[in-house]
Amino acid sequence: MNFFCIAFFISALQINLSLWVNYAVKFIGMLFFIGGIFEISGLNISFKKFLNPALILAGLSAVFAVMFLAFGINSVLLNTVSISGAVVGTAVTLFSLGFQKALIREISADEQIVNDLSLVKRFSKTWNKLAVITLANLAFDLVNRLVSVSVVADVSGLLMAISKIVMYIFALVILSSANKMRIDFNKTHGF
């Protein structure tokens, strides 16, 4: 649970520095998920089933980070890289959200993980809100990059910026909520 605390926070971040930085952050988040899977699998072997999806997501994130770093330098390919980055980013984020939702369901189903199950329920509710905001942000990003109508692109860009600010707020709420679960987990299991 110690690694999951950081993994959920890092996975909620969408860094706007460049595509390769965004994928590098996703890669780091997946490494923390992998650490969390190994940590919690010592208590419940059923969490091992999340290892392969986490490894796939980590691998995809690493490959795309290197790819966008290499192709992002060439200004001729910049528009293609931007559009492909939005499409690939959407696919990876949807896969990641599915992975995280399944992981949260597994944590919720195991009454031995934490002592206070209301912490898991609150975390799950907060994560669901973050997922909705993330999906809205992805939709606004795709519209902003793919629609050539200026007004539509401007409005979607504004909505994307607003949703990103809300995502950062929820990332902090996720961190706080995950930390409460982490503390309860450590008390329950003597870590």
Side-chain angles (χ1 to χ4, degrees):
M1 195 62 70
N2 295 300
F3 288 102
F4 286 156
C5 178
I6 297 168
F8 278 108
F9 172 70
I10 290 174
S11 294
L13 298 177
Q14 299 287 330
I15 309 297
N16 272 349
L17 296 175
S18 69
L19 286 171
W20 81 267
V21 171
N22 209 7
Y23 283 102
V25 169
K26 289 178 191 305
F27 174 72
I28 292 167
M30 281 301 122
L31 290 180
F32 276 100
F33 273 119
I34 292 167
I37 291 165
F38 280 116
E39 175 187 39
I40 212 163
S41 292
L43 302 169
N44 184 339
I45 197 75
S46 70
F47 281 89
K48 287 263 187 186
K49 66 184 173 193
F50 293 102
L51 187 57
N52 284 338
L55 289 170
I56 291 169
L57 280 164
L60 286 172
S61 297
V63 166
F64 291 132
V66 170
M67 186 179 77
F68 287 122
L69 177 62
F71 292 122
I73 295 169
N74 186 344
S75 62
V76 173
L77 297 174
L78 198 55
N79 193 34
T80 304
V81 168
S82 177
I83 291 171
S84 63
V87 172
V88 168
T90 299
V92 170
T93 301
L94 290 174
F95 185 22
S96 179
L97 288 174
F99 164 78
Q100 291 177 43
K101 183 65 176 176
L103 184 60
I104 291 169
R105 262 193 238 117
E106 189 76 22
I107 292 170
S108 298
D110 189 340
E111 296 179 0
Q112 306 300 318
I113 296 292
V114 293
N115 197 28
D116 185 359
L117 291 177
S118 69
L119 295 173
V120 179
K121 288 180 183 176
R122 269 185 252 138
F123 176 81
S124 180
K125 286 180 182 177
T126 303
W127 185 89
N128 286 337
K129 292 173 187 170
L130 175 67
V132 168
I133 293 164
T134 302
L135 292 173
N137 182 269
L138 288 172
F140 297 140
D141 188 21
L142 284 173
V143 169
N144 188 34
R145 292 179 197 232
L146 299 177
V147 175
S148 60
V149 178
S150 179
V151 174
V152 174
D154 290 346
V155 170
S156 66
L158 174 65
L159 292 173
M160 184 179 73
I162 292 169
S163 66
K164 190 156 301 225
I165 291 167
V166 174
M167 282 174 58
Y168 287 139
I169 292 167
F170 269 94
L172 293 173
V173 174
I174 283 287
L175 179 62
S176 173
S177 185
N179 188 50
K180 290 175 185 172
M181 284 193 325
R182 182 193 66 79
I183 290 168
D184 192 45
F185 172 84
N186 287 342
K187 284 182 186 175
T188 301
H189 299 287
F191 292 127

